[in-house]
Amino acid sequence: MVKLVHLHYSPSFHLQPLNSLKTNQKSRSAAAIPSKQLSLAPSFCSCCGRRHFIEAATAVLLPISPSKSNASTSQSDHYLDLLNRIHPPRPDWYEEFYASVMDTSMKPYEAKIAGYKSQLLEKLKGKAKRVLEIGIGTGPNLEYYAGDNEVQVFGLDPNKKMEKYARAAATAVGLPSKNFHFIEAVAEAVPLDDSSVDAVVGTLVLCSVQDVNMALKEVKRVLKPGGLFLFIEHVAAEDGTSPRLWQTLVDPLQQAVADGCHLTRETGKYISSSGFSSLELSMASLYNAPFSLITPHVYGVACN
């Protein structure tokens, strides 16, 4: 069941309820993975039902057992094959340039959306000890995890050049280096075990993944029972409106300059139909980079 709510932060943006969701070759090295999984899974909500296991062939793992070397090599190769197919290798200069641009160009957006992020990610304080962030980018969300010396953050991004910026961001906000783990991977193939994290965070990432449903299946797979998926995503405006018209016109250019980002993707619909046991979802109209336009955003919390 989808519960439409609002966070109580009220910045200068127009905030409106969401009345409906329309169901409309360079080599890479394997990413670092945790050496030990936590055995206890904190329960975040009482309404969570039975764990839905993802048995599709796309649910790829990098095993943590060193004794199974042959299986490990085979699965690692399969994971890397998916990484290279979904996010083909690009020249180093391009990856570095894009990471550098993201590090500077998104600062105005981050300043404007900080209130929403702060209220949303506050839900993790003292509850989540293992957090996976898909699309970590240059690490703008790391400040919201700082202050908890026990939290372990796994930052996933297909662009390896993002790592130095993310690590610099972690250092700047006081997140210990031993608590931050960068993983070069795509959201559609997360190299972590089933039920291995307490929370998954995604901000402005489902707009650019190749397969939204596949990414959400991975989110559910790695989440512990009762774990939370926290998200903020820009979405398509309502059909027939002026914002939807300019989104349609600008979308091809947006995809070209923003690494495949889709302005007309109905991400809220995907999240609401992905099988979470409960969902709190709201909508706001917010500034969106890089064209300094106001676009609808969905944000909220889903319980696994």
Side-chain angles (χ1 to χ4, degrees):
M1 179 178 66
V2 179
K3 180 182 179 183
L4 303 180
V5 300
H6 289 295
L7 301 180
H8 297 296
Y9 179 78
S10 300
S12 58
F13 307 112
H14 174 63
L15 187 64
Q16 58 187 18
L18 179 61
N19 295 321
S20 64
L21 284 174
K22 297 184 178 181
T23 305
N24 279 322
Q25 185 65 251
K26 69 179 179 178
S27 63
R28 299 182 193 240
S29 59
I33 58 174
S35 58
K36 185 178 181 180
Q37 305 295 345
L38 295 183
S39 58
L40 298 178
S43 177
F44 291 110
C45 62
S46 59
C47 57
C48 295
R50 192 173 182 177
R51 169 76 170 143
H52 298 286
F53 288 96
I54 306 304
E55 298 178 345
T58 54
V60 183
L61 303 178
L62 290 182
I64 62 174
S65 174
S67 61
K68 301 178 181 179
S69 58
N70 291 336
S72 177
T73 300
S74 175
Q75 291 179 331
S76 295
D77 289 345
H78 187 32
Y79 150 72
L80 289 172
D81 177 63
L82 279 176
L83 170 61
N84 286 318
R85 272 198 292 119
I86 294 173
H87 187 83
R90 297 168 181 174
D92 280 350
W93 69 264
Y94 175 83
E95 298 281 61
E96 173 61 37
F97 173 75
Y98 186 75
S100 175
V101 170
M102 288 294 291
D103 191 49
T104 56
S105 67
M106 293 298 290
K107 292 187 186 300
Y109 173 85
E110 293 297 334
K112 290 181 179 294
I113 203 171
Y116 287 95
K117 285 189 175 184
S118 179
Q119 291 258 334
L120 189 64
L121 297 179
E122 181 69 23
K123 297 176 182 291
L124 299 182
K125 292 290 180 67
K127 296 179 180 179
K129 298 305 179 186
R130 294 170 62 87
V131 177
L132 167 66
E133 181 165 339
I134 54 176
I136 187 75
T138 59
N141 294 334
L142 291 174
E143 63 177 291
Y144 302 106
Y145 313 124
D148 185 349
N149 290 329
E150 294 185 15
V151 68
Q152 296 289 320
V153 181
F154 300 89
L156 182 147
D157 203 285
N159 184 348
K160 179 67 175 176
K161 299 298 183 181
M162 296 287 188
E163 181 175 7
K164 70 176 182 180
Y165 294 98
R167 291 198 177 279
T171 300
V173 298
L175 183 68
S177 59
K178 64 182 178 62
N179 292 27
F180 177 63
H181 315 272
F182 184 90
I183 304 175
E184 184 185 7
V186 289
E188 296 93 333
V190 179
L192 294 177
D193 284 344
D194 292 2
S195 305
S196 60
V197 298
D198 304 314
V200 176
V201 174
T203 60
L204 302 190
V205 60
L206 294 180
C207 57
S208 58
V209 299
Q210 188 177 104
D211 189 322
V212 183
N213 287 324
M214 187 174 174
L216 288 170
K217 285 180 179 180
E218 284 292 88
V219 168
K220 288 175 58 61
R221 179 184 65 77
V222 301
L223 272 175
K224 295 177 181 180
L228 300 181
F229 173 45
L230 298 91
F231 57 88
I232 300 177
E233 299 284 347
H234 66 78
V235 296
E238 186 177 353
D239 284 333
T241 62
S242 296
R244 182 58 179 266
L245 175 60
W246 71 249
Q247 282 182 326
T248 302
L249 294 174
V250 175
D251 196 42
L253 179 59
Q254 173 83 351
Q255 292 184 44
V257 303
D259 207 21
C261 171
H262 294 72
L263 288 174
T264 56
R265 181 166 283 177
E266 297 183 352
T267 305
K269 177 193 74 175
Y270 286 100
I271 297 173
S272 67
S273 62
S274 58
F276 287 101
S277 64
S278 68
L279 172 65
E280 296 180 353
L281 188 150
S282 296
M283 176 173 277
S285 295
L286 304 173
Y287 164 93
N288 184 43
F291 299 111
S292 300
L293 300 171
I294 301 298
T295 53
H297 283 59
V298 292
Y299 62 97
V301 182
C303 182
N304 199 27

